[in-house]
Amino acid sequence: MALRHAVLAALLDGEYSGYQLAKAFDVGVANFWHALPQQLYAELAKLEKEGLVAGRQVIQETRPNKRLFHVTDAGRAELEEFAAAVAKPSFIRDDLLVKVQVADRIGTASVIEQLEERASAAEAKIELLGKLLHQLRGDTDEEDFLRRGERIGPYLTCLRGLDFEQGHRDWCLRIATVLRERRTTHAER
């Protein structure tokens, strides 16, 4: 997947300025695609040049003018083609895993600390995702929303993000405990 598809997907929900897109991206799309705001602005410019999004100038009296972007018919066609293509398998690429890989050959104190920091960050994201899921479905029961909700794509990707963060938190806490216990056991020998 290219950043272009993630940007087009985010713009399907409406017309956004670059700033609004970055905010929407940070909350929703970031569950499956990370991008810096400057990457989003550059991608918007490319997409507009290719005719996949269109922008319009909005005059503001008390603030600088802004451009709002929306997906064009060509952009929708690009997304349909992307959706029809076979998805590549995903993989993990994480520097913390390299540190855990060598933990029994180096000191583990900093690795344990990093695992606990990651678990804490995952816990904060779990809370944020829970709030976002509730916001997306409102007062509707989840199963009912999944059967009858008008737009469930963002909800489904948010569920995947929640599952990922919960699994990541649990793994980090477990591995930190294993390393801590091994350090204690080896110190007793």
Side-chain angles (χ1 to χ4, degrees):
M1 175 169 87
L3 176 58
R4 69 192 293 117
H5 299 117
V7 170
L8 288 169
L11 286 173
L12 283 178
D13 287 327
E15 201 174 39
Y16 291 118
S17 68
Y19 176 78
Q20 291 167 320
L21 177 65
K23 291 296 178 196
F25 215 88
D26 196 35
V27 173
V29 180
N31 291 319
F32 54 90
W33 194 270
H34 175 74
L36 299 171
Q38 55 267 38
Q39 291 172 302
L40 294 174
Y41 286 106
E43 194 63 37
L44 278 172
K46 281 191 247 177
L47 291 169
E48 186 175 29
K49 186 176 181 182
E50 294 174 28
L52 301 177
V53 302
R56 67 180 178 92
Q57 188 82 3
V58 175
I59 308 297
Q60 302 185 110
E61 292 192 23
T62 59
R63 294 177 153 173
N65 296 340
K66 66 180 177 180
R67 289 184 51 77
L68 295 178
F69 297 90
H70 67 274
V71 177
T72 63
D73 289 342
R76 284 184 184 278
E78 170 84 13
L79 275 175
E80 287 176 16
E81 187 178 310
F82 169 73
V86 175
K88 296 176 185 174
S90 59
F91 59 90
I92 300 172
R93 184 175 166 176
D94 188 339
D95 62 340
L96 184 56
L97 288 174
V98 175
K99 295 172 184 184
V100 170
Q101 173 80 16
V102 299
D104 54 353
R105 301 280 189 229
I106 61 170
T108 58
S110 67
V111 176
I112 292 168
E113 184 178 316
Q114 290 175 58
L115 285 162
E116 290 171 339
E117 287 172 2
R118 283 274 187 97
S120 179
E123 188 62 45
K125 189 92 185 257
I126 289 166
E127 186 177 328
L128 177 69
L129 291 169
K131 289 177 182 176
L132 181 57
L133 285 167
H134 185 267
Q135 178 185 347
L136 289 170
R137 76 173 178 270
D139 292 330
T140 306
D141 170 78
E142 182 172 82
E143 291 307 314
D144 189 44
F145 179 77
L146 291 174
R147 278 192 302 275
R148 295 182 183 89
E150 193 169 309
R151 176 122 157 72
I152 64 164
Y155 194 87
L156 296 174
T157 59
C158 193
L159 281 177
R160 176 62 184 115
L162 180 63
D163 287 346
F164 172 81
E165 294 298 339
Q166 289 169 334
H168 190 59
R169 174 204 57 201
D170 296 348
W171 180 84
C172 286
L173 292 174
R174 178 176 182 215
I175 301 313
T177 299
V178 167
L179 293 177
R180 192 178 293 103
E181 288 173 356
R182 286 181 55 87
R183 193 170 63 183
T184 302
T185 303
H186 287 277
E188 292 172 358
R189 289 184 188 172

